[in-house]
Amino acid sequence: MTSNLFALIDRMLHISNIEEEIRRGQEGFDPWVKIRLVLDKVNSSATRFYIPSRNISIDESMIGMKNRCVYIQFMPNKRHARFGIKKFEVCDSNGYVVHVRLYAGKDFDIHHDEGQAFGVVKELMTVSQLLNKGYHLHTDNFYTKLAAAQNNADRHSESEF
């Protein structure tokens, strides 16, 4: 494909309906409306067609970019991409991504009484349909909170989330 043809396709391709978009600051605004259809389709397909291995993990990752966008995050401890779009992922031990949630800043964050880390784990495990099914969840120290451990201990006698 020539670069001119790619540029022409890129100029004409639009995933979302511009007329249905809700403007920033209005009730019901979705910061990821332009890619929501594709993201939801990928997430639902992964949930429907893939059964993850017993060991799963939740962590954050970056899609590296430096363009001017309000959703660009700066994470100084990430070596490969310090600037970019932050995403939370549920992965299995084979390296397959089961579910992705894009982060758009604290205004659109998951609000939970127990804090952001607990809210992210709870929401990702629920929407990926892995909660209370005997999976072993591995997390780093950001997601390892007392509230999550107590919630888990209340539900099971084993260490399964």
Side-chain angles (χ1 to χ4, degrees):
M1 178 183 310
T2 66
S3 62
N4 289 341
L5 180 59
F6 178 78
L8 180 66
I9 293 171
D10 186 44
R11 213 174 322 136
M12 303 298 175
L13 183 65
H14 204 280
I15 297 172
S16 66
N17 187 353
I18 297 173
E19 285 124 19
E20 294 178 6
E21 287 183 18
I22 299 172
R23 299 280 178 217
R24 178 182 279 277
Q26 295 178 349
E27 185 69 29
F29 172 71
D30 181 10
W32 302 111
V33 70
K34 293 185 178 181
I35 62 166
R36 176 68 54 204
L37 291 172
V38 173
L39 186 63
D40 287 347
K41 185 67 174 175
V42 168
N43 284 334
S44 67
S45 295
T47 302
R48 204 164 95 212
F49 297 116
Y50 184 72
I51 299 171
S53 60
R54 187 173 180 100
N55 295 312
I56 56 174
S57 170
I58 292 181
D59 203 5
E60 73 274 351
S61 179
M62 294 285 279
I63 302 170
M65 56 181 57
K66 290 188 178 182
N67 60 347
R68 300 191 78 151
C69 177
V70 295
Y71 312 119
I72 299 294
Q73 301 288 314
F74 174 68
M75 294 178 66
N77 57 345
K78 297 287 182 186
R79 291 250 179 222
H80 67 284
R82 293 185 178 165
F83 292 93
I85 295 175
K86 184 176 178 180
K87 59 184 176 164
F88 299 106
E89 298 174 327
V90 178
C91 303
D92 75 344
S93 59
N94 298 322
Y96 188 79
V97 177
V98 179
H99 191 85
V100 175
R101 183 180 188 284
L102 298 176
Y103 179 74
K106 64 181 178 181
D107 295 339
F108 304 100
D109 201 7
I110 300 168
H111 299 289
H112 197 277
D113 295 339
E114 305 295 337
Q116 181 198 24
F118 182 77
V120 166
V121 170
K122 185 84 168 173
E123 193 231 344
L124 286 176
M125 292 295 290
T126 303
V127 298
S128 61
Q129 300 174 1
L130 301 174
L131 191 61
N132 298 326
K133 291 191 177 177
Y135 288 97
H136 293 211
L137 177 63
H138 302 272
T139 61
D140 62 7
N141 60 353
F142 176 73
Y143 300 102
T144 308
K145 303 294 182 205
L146 182 60
Q150 288 174 338
N151 181 53
N152 189 25
D154 292 342
R155 292 177 188 244
H156 302 287
S157 60
E158 295 182 34
S159 60
E160 297 176 344
F161 200 95

